[in-house]
Amino acid sequence: MREECYRVAGRLGLAVVVVGNGSRGVRPPPLPGGRIVVVGEGADAADDWIVEHIAAGDVCVTADIPLAARCLAKGAKALAPNGRVWDGDNIGGALASRAIGRSLREAGVATGGPPPLDRAARSRFLQALDGLVQASLRGA
């Protein structure tokens, strides 16, 4: 969903920071002030950097539910690539469901993965991202 993020940020004159451990090549965001941050190896190195640097009103796009919860705790907004907005009302249930799924997988039960991102998901994502960014800009 990077291109969608770049499109919204470019339209609104915002910077995008892409954080990773360098395991996948990523080109710099084509935006003024956009940048790539490469962190060290480690299970949560990128997540830790994001949480350390995120501020209230920032928007984190992530499929990682624990990272979303950590960002919400810092006053930031969090959005999944499928367009689901994480908030105080739904993040606890999502964390619990994630833990149940992990336990089932560890017990050998196939739980499946997320559905592929189709046009409808991309549309939901763009709409949700625009709404979160606009709310942040208004200070909501």
Side-chain angles (χ1 to χ4, degrees):
M1 303 310 263
R2 284 189 187 112
E3 294 304 320
E4 288 82 354
C5 291
Y6 300 160
R7 188 175 337 145
V8 170
R11 182 171 44 82
L12 298 171
L14 303 171
V16 173
V17 178
V18 178
V19 182
N21 65 7
S23 63
R24 286 190 273 165
V26 178
R27 65 180 172 80
L31 303 165
R35 64 188 173 120
I36 294 175
V37 173
V38 178
V39 298
E41 294 294 322
D44 291 323
D47 295 2
D48 293 344
W49 189 96
I50 291 166
V51 172
E52 183 179 326
H53 292 88
I54 201 160
D58 289 348
V59 177
C60 178
V61 176
T62 182
D64 186 300
I65 296 168
L67 173 58
R70 293 173 67 191
C71 290
L72 291 173
K74 295 271 310 245
K77 299 177 184 333
L79 175 64
N82 65 3
R84 181 162 191 186
V85 176
W86 298 113
D87 60 29
D89 292 333
N90 64 18
I91 197 70
L95 286 166
S97 293
R98 180 181 179 276
I100 291 168
R102 182 178 51 230
S103 294
L104 289 171
R105 285 187 299 280
E106 288 171 357
V109 176
T111 60
L117 296 176
D118 57 11
R119 286 179 58 114
R122 289 184 185 281
S123 178
R124 278 192 310 274
F125 175 81
L126 273 170
Q127 187 174 20
L129 179 61
D130 191 66
L132 287 176
V133 171
Q134 294 290 351
S136 289
L137 292 172
R138 288 191 308 271

